[in-house]
Amino acid sequence: MEALVANRGVLLRALNVASGKTIGQGCQVKRIPVPTISDQEILIKVHTVALNPIDFKSVDLIASRGSVIGCDYAGEVVDVGKHALGMWKVGDRVAGFVHGGNYSNRGSFSEYLKVDGDLAWRVPDELRDEEASTYGVPAATAMLALNVRLGVPWVDATSVGGEMQLQSPENRGTILIYAGSTSVGLFAIQLAKRAGYTVVTTASPHSFDLVKKYGADSAFDYRSTTAVRDIVKEHPSITQALDCISEGRSTEFCAQVIKKSGGKIVTLLDQGKSKVRGVQYDFLVVFTAFGHKFAFLPPIGPSFPASPSDREALARFYANLPQFVKDVKPLPLRVLGSGFDKIILGLNELRQGKVSGQNLAVNFE
Ligand SMILES: NC(=O)c1ccc[n+]([C@@H]2O[C@H](COP(=O)([O-])OP(=O)(O)OC[C@H]3O[C@@H](n4cnc5c(N)ncnc54)[C@H](OP(=O)(O)O)[C@@H]3O)[C@@H](O)[C@H]2O)c1
């Protein structure tokens, strides 16, 4: 099969880290074997992939030479391991994400991929493949941040008299989602909203309509010098925040909003550290949801232990997702077309920071 494979050695990637620039394309289309599945895995023919900032960061900084790039996908089950969870059948529609840029035989920018049967979700008829592909890294990150790290209650469907029904949310107070127009932010707004929170978010004014359409109760311009003060004035007792940017002064912004009552901020990058008394910081990386340990740029970069509880959370989220896609909508989409060339074009757009308020998707013919 064909796949987009990383081709930089560790020295070149370390140079990229040190210089903040990228040298060369960093990946190429190669023919590699179709993955062989274990008894727990399913094999998927990929129809559509969605692109994330982690994909170009992987190419530029993290992925070792020979690893397959790409995380998010939607496609069709073509083989099922004999003990695979999820009751999959050949031909079922499926979506999810994998830990792209970490393995020579697993990544979504390829014609086929493999994944544990309980770590993918069944796509309902009402969603197109492009839409389904957006519930990968951003949705799982929002879920881990809210339901696992910030203790936002799950809202699962339960069987009432043989019919699946959603629990009604209680009023849970107010949460800050910094950078609500990011892909992670749009899912976080929706998950917090359906758990019963009032959602305060930040975005550029051109994204205010978008974040409100996804459920935010109020939006503030993060570039305004009075934004922190304005939020605290209207919402003086926020104790939970998700920083969907975690660069520059974003974490400090969140800390200033919650410092009066104290509380917790989940961050998505290990940068922009802020130290405010009474504020707890928790940096998460979504790939802990696969239940394996891993490292970025070993031996110099950080390593992450296996987290069985994060894996359990992803399995729970994906098992329930088909029942609530009506209240947790897919991201706004721009489909770039078909083929690996379009993926490379899309990665360049993301690298240049040209993508705002939408997810890029590419089809495989
Ligand atoms: N740790 C993890 O596991 C994990 C998982 C997913 C993502 N991430 C990281 O989280 C970040 C967001 O990812 P994403 O896919 O959600 O992003 P995205 O959808 O590509 O984000 C684009 C949006 O970011 C906003 N933005 C850009 N710079 C900003 C700034 N300095 N302050 C506030 N908002 C800013 C812009 O909003 P406006 O147009 O409204 O200004 C733009 O719409 C990336 O750095 C990504 O690598 C980490």
Side-chain angles (χ1 to χ4, degrees):
M1 67 171 187
E2 286 193 320
L4 194 65
V5 172
N7 64 8
R8 284 195 180 105
V10 68
L11 282 179
L12 211 45
R13 284 179 286 122
L15 195 64
N16 284 345
V17 173
S19 66
K21 293 185 184 142
T22 55
I23 301 157
Q25 186 170 278
C27 55
Q28 66 190 120
V29 180
K30 278 186 82 170
R31 286 202 77 77
I32 61 168
V34 172
T36 313
I37 56 169
S38 71
D39 287 349
Q40 284 70 38
E41 291 174 324
I42 55 176
L43 185 68
I44 294 165
K45 180 160 176 39
V46 179
H47 292 170
T48 303
V49 296
L51 276 50
N52 290 287
I54 186 63
D55 299 322
F56 80 78
K57 292 179 187 179
S58 216
V59 170
D60 296 344
L61 312 171
I62 302 167
S64 55
R65 186 177 294 164
S67 47
V68 182
I69 305 299
C71 301
D72 295 359
Y73 67 89
E76 177 189 344
V77 175
V78 291
D79 197 6
V80 182
K82 59 176 186 268
H83 302 307
L85 298 172
M87 306 210 296
W88 294 103
K89 294 187 308 302
V90 168
D92 283 347
R93 295 181 69 214
V94 59
F97 74 109
V98 290
H99 189 166
N102 198 51
Y103 302 98
S104 59
N105 60 357
R106 195 195 306 266
S108 74
F109 298 167
S110 62
E111 291 176 72
Y112 294 87
L113 65 80
K114 60 178 180 173
V115 69
D116 289 355
D118 57 339
L119 298 184
W121 68 286
R122 197 173 294 279
V123 178
D125 291 344
E126 64 260 37
L127 286 186
R128 291 179 289 124
D129 282 340
E130 288 99 335
E131 294 170 321
S133 72
T134 70
Y135 294 82
V137 164
T141 305
M143 174 280 294
L144 279 187
L146 298 189
N147 298 119
V148 180
R149 304 301 168 89
L150 288 172
V152 167
W154 292 87
V155 188
D156 289 343
T158 45
S159 178
V160 181
E163 256 189 46
M164 294 308 274
Q165 286 185 7
L166 292 175
Q167 302 146 23
S168 331
E170 291 166 30
N171 185 356
R172 305 268 176 197
T174 306
I175 192 167
L176 171 66
I177 308 292
Y178 184 95
S181 69
T182 57
S183 301
V184 177
L186 290 174
F187 278 118
I189 290 170
Q190 298 185 88
L191 292 176
K193 216 42 222 168
R194 72 188 287 276
Y197 282 80
T198 298
V199 177
V200 173
T201 193
T202 66
S204 294
H206 70 83
S207 303
F208 283 3
D209 286 348
L210 174 71
V211 294
K212 289 189 176 158
K213 190 172 144 207
Y214 276 73
D217 295 282
S218 51
F220 295 82
D221 181 357
Y222 57 83
R223 294 188 186 87
S224 158
T225 51
T226 63
V228 168
R229 207 179 331 134
D230 297 343
I231 295 175
V232 173
K233 194 168 158 205
E234 275 182 44
H235 305 279
S237 50
I238 299 179
T239 59
Q240 293 166 300
L242 166 58
D243 179 355
C244 300
I245 288 293
S246 312
E247 276 185 89
R249 291 187 52 76
S250 65
T251 309
E252 177 65 21
F253 183 114
C254 298
Q256 292 304 324
V257 170
I258 69 172
K259 77 172 179 191
K260 192 165 155 240
S261 315
K264 184 167 175 181
I265 305 169
V266 172
T267 67
L268 301 185
L269 299 176
D270 199 13
Q271 302 174 6
K273 280 250 164 50
S274 149
K275 280 202 169 47
V276 172
R277 266 206 11 223
V279 175
Q280 190 194 339
Y281 303 87
D282 190 351
F283 163 51
L284 87 70
V285 174
V286 68
F287 301 122
T288 56
F290 291 107
H292 299 291
K293 64 177 183 184
F294 59 93
F296 287 158
L297 212 63
I300 49 173
S303 54
F304 301 86
S307 172
S309 55
D310 287 357
R311 188 192 185 289
E312 219 172 276
L314 181 63
R316 177 177 181 173
F317 180 62
Y318 274 168
N320 276 280
L321 184 53
Q323 275 110 50
F324 64 78
V325 288
K326 283 193 186 73
D327 353 298
V328 179
K329 294 187 292 239
L331 298 174
L333 264 175
R334 178 153 54 96
V335 182
L336 297 175
S338 296
F340 290 102
D341 288 356
K342 294 291 189 299
I343 294 179
I344 290 169
L345 275 177
L347 293 182
N348 274 331
E349 276 199 46
L350 283 168
R351 197 178 267 120
Q352 291 159 21
K354 287 184 179 165
V355 182
S356 168
Q358 58 184 190
N359 216 213
L360 303 181
V362 174
N363 289 312
F364 285 0
E365 278 159 339

